[in-house]
Amino acid sequence: MKLLLLHLLVIINIYHVVQCTKYNAQQDSQPIQTNRRVKRSWLWNQITTLEEQTNIPYLIGTLQSTKLTGTAKYMLEGEYANTLFRVKESTGDIYGYERLDRELKAQYNLTALLVDKITMKTLEPPEMFSIRLIDINDNAPAFTQESYNASVPEMSATDVLVTTITAVDPDDPTVAGHAKVTYKILKGYEHFKINENTGEIYTLSSSLDREEKASLEVIVQAKDSPGLSGGFSSSATVIIQLRDINDNFPTFTKKQYTFNVYENLRVGEVVGKMLVEDIDEPQNRNAKYTFMKGRYEQWFQIKSNALTNEGIIILKKPLNFESSDNVFKMSIEVTDPSIDLRVAKKQRPSSTTEVVINVLDVDEPPEFSSPFYLFEAKEDEKQKNIGFVSATDPDSPKKPIRYSATTSKDDRIIVKENGDIYIRSLDRETNAWHNLTVTAEEIDPTNPTKKASSVDVYIKVLDVNDNAPEFAERYAPRVCENTANDLAIITISATDKDEMVPGTKFTYYSAEKENNFTVVDNHDNTASIVVKNGAFNHEVTKFYYLPIVISDNGAPPLSSTNTLTITVCKCNAEGEFTFCETAGKLVAVSASTIVIILCCLALILLCVLVTFLILRRMRSSSPLMLVKNPAEIHEQLVTYDEEGGGEMDTNGYDVSVLNSVRRNVVRAKPDMEAAYPSLYAQVQKPARNGDMFSMIEGKKYDADNDGECLPYDTLHIFGYEGSESIVESLSSLDSGSSDSEINYDVLNDWGPRFKMLADLYGLEQLEEFPY
């Protein structure tokens, strides 16, 4: 092989020499011109050599020049000069000093020089040339991946493309097919084939079954230099997964299934499950279950579980042990309708099994005759039976039933124990529907755990015309002072709390004589307020109150008076409002609303008056308070509207407290009060018991806290004395008479607090007591 390449190299060099000679001859035959280009003296421009030469140094080529003299020498400059490449100065032979790899670098660019050995001057201009490496087949094809993964559906037809693999040879593709790659399957060729030029892998067999083997291994060889001896090769592994398709029918795992269920099983709950076997993957399982006889479809339905593919029997109709349908025997078939019979592996497309369902008895609660009850009742009816609910005991013997409302908290709806439902004074405007739950309970004294069931009851309240229409909103119309007559300032509408059925009509008219405004009924349930007499004056009248009567066409028809407040505003020339005052009350209120407000105010005033009287009464009869500081007590005017019964008081009160000893008295000035004893002072702290004590303390408290009386010593008036008293009167108004036989000298013994009385009524002048 290497010998062949050397021969090729020699032929290429000879070809280049011949081409250069022809070029020089052509240049000599051209006419001589004054400024013609100097003819080249170099006889080459490119040198080639084989890559990967191991006999170092090795000859690459020879530089040739026509100006070579005895004192001339060759030199190299440029890329890798004097390292990888060196030139013999005398002959121009170029040698390589290292192994060169074309796959790393295919060409080197150098510059050739011919210089004088002594002066080192160039004898001719430098010339660039290149050294190109000739490829040898020294690289094996390399796959783009170490391993490949691919997939194909199982049971695919032949010639179905699975995947494409690629191998690359870095050698020169232009030399003797060094980089030409061909492919071949070394393992797995019984199932797959490959295009030797493109690397495309196709199915060869149409019976690839995932259930037998889910993945297959294919080993592919890539080889270069096809058609020549030798060459290099490499291999790669391709793992091909067989994707599952739905090609297997489900089959029951048992020949018979038996399920025991209680009769109180709810509709929609599971009766039982049937297992089937399907070797396809879950996403390709599509079991469909059917009854062999259609009679049982009214009782049950079968659903397929998407994950497990099992058949789930669901109850569609309530069971009853007491009926004849308490044992069900049925045949069920399972198949997969989505399987293509052309690829199915089994000839039998379905599987059957027997199912037995036994219904078991339970103590059941009462059953209502209807799943729900709907009643209608007119509003405002005092009391009426609107209907009844009914339930029976499905078991035997039949037990009596008692009914009760379990969710309704409205005392206007009454459920009797026999199931009758009564209503009383329902208001549709408050609540148009009433929903309640009625419970039916078995009456069985022997069984403490009574069975019960419930049903929903709906009561619709029918409307009657019991509400008068009123303004739809709070209107606040405004007019300018210079508003023209016959101008509509606002359009009003009405609403009714009663049901607004189609055909409801409202009529409008003014409740009083129309002076400044008139009400125009538009006959479309609206009315316009039109200026009748304009030229308003904001300074004279700021607000106009227009009472409007609104009537409906109900049975019976009702009406209400609604007051519309119209504000007079100042406006500019363009008719824009510039100043308006706010009414001190609601813009539009009905007469009934005003009456309600006045009643509420009267009720509040009455409550305040009653509270005031109660508090005053409580104050007059408040518990008596004891005086804490005797020094603060002053003799003030005390009026006794009713006095005791004279000497009869001795039987009701302990008068001895007035003569209690002085050691029980606490005085503000002990030295002065000891020298001048006082009866009034002695009673400041009498014995703390008896009615007399309470009476005296109460009078003292009233006297000390009465802000209208004069302070200090004042006149005491005793307006009435008992009939059995030996004293005619204790009133001081008549005590100034000189005819009185009463001796007032005793006042001198009562201390300084009675000094003024002693001065007024005493026969002798009392001494002055210093304070």
Side-chain angles (χ1 to χ4, degrees), residues 447-720:
N447 186 7
T449 58
K450 301 178 180 64
K451 293 292 183 178
S453 59
S454 300
V455 69
D456 292 327
V457 176
Y458 307 98
I459 301 175
K460 180 181 179 181
V461 183
L462 302 179
D463 184 52
V464 297
N465 193 24
D466 58 347
N467 290 277
E470 57 187 12
F471 282 149
E473 58 183 273
R474 293 179 178 178
Y475 295 103
R478 297 180 295 177
V479 295
C480 294
E481 292 179 315
N482 56 350
T483 301
N485 293 340
D486 300 327
L487 177 66
I489 61 173
I490 190 172
T491 300
I492 61 174
S493 61
T495 185
D496 197 328
K497 293 181 180 178
D498 293 323
E499 186 176 5
M500 300 282 288
V501 298
T504 301
K505 297 292 184 181
F506 297 124
T507 57
Y508 305 82
Y509 62 90
S510 177
E512 298 178 355
K513 181 180 179 181
E514 298 177 340
N515 294 322
N516 299 92
F517 302 93
T518 183
V519 180
V520 178
D521 194 334
N522 298 325
H523 302 290
D524 59 354
N525 286 346
T526 65
S528 298
I529 308 302
V530 179
V531 177
K532 184 177 182 181
N533 298 317
F536 305 103
N537 190 341
H538 173 79
E539 302 299 335
V540 176
T541 305
K542 297 180 175 60
F543 305 101
Y544 287 91
Y545 303 101
L546 179 63
I548 301 174
V549 177
I550 307 176
S551 303
D552 60 18
N553 62 341
L558 298 178
S559 63
S560 66
T561 301
N562 300 261
T563 302
L564 185 66
T565 302
I566 304 174
T567 305
V568 178
C569 302
K570 290 184 178 297
C571 302
N572 55 22
E574 288 76 18
E576 299 175 348
F577 299 111
T578 59
F579 176 75
C580 296
E581 292 190 12
T582 304
K585 58 182 180 179
L586 296 177
V587 175
V589 295
S590 63
S592 58
T593 304
I594 297 175
V595 173
I596 293 174
I597 294 174
L598 293 177
C599 292
C600 292
L601 292 176
L603 183 60
I604 293 173
L605 291 176
L606 180 60
C607 293
V608 171
L609 180 59
V610 172
T611 303
F612 174 76
L613 294 177
I614 293 175
L615 292 176
R616 185 168 183 179
R617 175 88 176 181
M618 293 176 61
R619 180 177 179 182
S620 61
S621 60
S622 60
L624 299 178
M625 298 179 62
L626 298 180
V627 180
K628 296 182 179 180
N629 189 357
E632 296 178 356
I633 299 176
H634 303 286
E635 294 166 335
Q636 299 174 347
L637 179 62
V638 180
T639 302
Y640 294 87
D641 294 332
E642 181 181 357
E643 190 57 41
E647 270 57 45
M648 292 181 66
D649 290 338
T650 58
N651 297 327
Y653 304 103
D654 186 6
V655 186
S656 61
V657 298
L658 299 175
N659 301 319
S660 60
V661 295
R662 293 185 177 90
R663 65 175 179 268
N664 293 327
V665 180
V666 179
R667 309 188 63 83
K669 296 179 180 180
D671 52 349
M672 179 188 68
E673 293 177 355
Y676 305 98
S678 172
L679 176 60
Y680 188 83
Q682 292 179 14
V683 300
Q684 299 305 306
K685 286 195 176 180
R688 299 186 180 275
N689 52 29
D691 295 335
M692 181 61 74
F693 170 77
S694 299
M695 184 272 294
I696 294 175
E697 290 297 332
K699 297 297 183 181
K700 288 163 53 181
Y701 176 81
D702 291 339
D704 289 341
N705 291 277
D706 191 353
E708 297 179 357
C709 294
L710 296 175
Y712 307 111
D713 297 333
T714 56
L715 180 63
H716 289 255
I717 300 175
F718 298 88
Y720 172 77

Side-chain angles (χ1 to χ4, degrees), residues 38-39 41-42 67 111-114 122-128:
V38 179
K39 184 183 66 176
S41 299
W42 300 102
K67 294 184 179 182
T111 301
L113 300 174
L114 183 65
T122 57
L123 300 180
E124 65 175 310
E127 184 74 14
M128 293 184 64

